Amino acid sequence: ANGTGGAPAESGFRLKAAGALVEDGRAGAPFAANSRNLVDALPKHWSGPSGPGPATESHLDEKARRHDLFLRFLAEAAGVWTVVAPAEREAVLEHGELVAALLCVRALHNEAAEASEADDAEADDGALAVLREATAAAGVALQAHDAAVRDRPAAEVCYSRATGVPGALLPALADGFARRASVAAAERGASLRQRA
């Protein structure tokens, strides 16, 4: 159960003969491609026209669980993990990290929504608006390059396509928080001018 469940040399030979191992770690590597398919799987259906609701976390949890099972398979199946090219191993691990990042963003989204619902003025610092805008912007950016998701709500697309986190969601979050910070700075500046 520690990655030595068989003869790695024999496994490697069979995998190479089947074309499953590549030396250069190119994007078409089968284990990385399978990993990407797991983390980018679309939900069967999220109810509501506005996109993700309560089912979002369960869908992301399911992706994380399936990816973890895939990693366990690679590690425990006759030493397969040891014969997979380093670049492909890195891609597989990165995919798991991206699902974890989406789970964290969704948890923050939920916390901001709960704080907003509680009408706690101190807790409502615009985080919910930034998260909503960022997930929508990321979803739109992802839709532009993926015809399979164009008919789905943008926020659903954002939470469905884990591999879109680095190129779409993180820049959208950075832009949103930068805008929020500049608005807050301008408001503070106006307040200081009024006091003077």
Side-chain angles (χ1 to χ4, degrees), residues 87-132:
E88 188 171 8
R89 287 195 307 254
E90 183 179 323
V92 170
L93 293 173
E94 181 181 313
H95 294 153
E97 291 170 352
L98 294 173
V99 172
L102 278 178
L103 279 165
C104 290
V105 169
R106 187 60 194 182
L108 290 172
H109 198 149
N110 290 342
E111 289 175 21
E114 288 172 12
S116 179
E117 288 174 6
D119 288 329
D120 184 0
E122 289 181 24
D124 185 17
D125 60 357
L128 180 60
V130 169
L131 286 166
R132 284 183 177 156

Side-chain angles (χ1 to χ4, degrees), residues 125 177-191:
D125 60 357
F177 284 114
R179 277 194 308 277
R180 181 69 181 153
S182 66
V183 167
E187 289 172 356
R188 274 193 299 260
S191 174

Side-chain angles (χ1 to χ4, degrees), residues 11-150:
S11 297
F13 175 77
R14 288 183 180 182
L15 290 169
K16 283 181 184 177
L21 293 179
V22 294
E23 298 299 323
D24 61 0
R26 64 183 179 264
F31 299 111
N34 188 55
S35 171
R36 182 184 182 108
N37 289 340
L38 288 171
V39 302
D40 279 350
L42 294 171
K44 290 183 182 181
H45 180 66
W46 278 338
S47 60
S50 62
T56 308
E57 293 82 4
S58 63
H59 181 67
L60 289 171
D61 284 337
E62 180 64 14
K63 284 183 179 199
R65 186 188 70 77
R66 288 179 183 207
H67 196 268
D68 185 55
L69 287 173
F70 181 63
L71 281 173
R72 287 183 190 189
F73 162 75
L74 291 176
E76 295 174 2
V80 171
W81 186 251
T82 60
V83 295
V84 173
E88 188 171 8
R89 287 195 307 254
E90 183 179 323
V92 170
L93 293 173
E94 181 181 313
H95 294 153
E97 291 170 352
L98 294 173
V99 172
L102 278 178
L103 279 165
C104 290
V105 169
R106 187 60 194 182
L108 290 172
H109 198 149
N110 290 342
E111 289 175 21
E114 288 172 12
S116 179
E117 288 174 6
D119 288 329
D120 184 0
E122 289 181 24
D124 185 17
D125 60 357
L128 180 60
V130 169
L131 286 166
R132 284 183 177 156
E133 291 169 9
T135 55
V140 168
L142 292 168
Q143 285 172 326
H145 304 303
D146 189 348
V149 296
R150 288 198 181 123

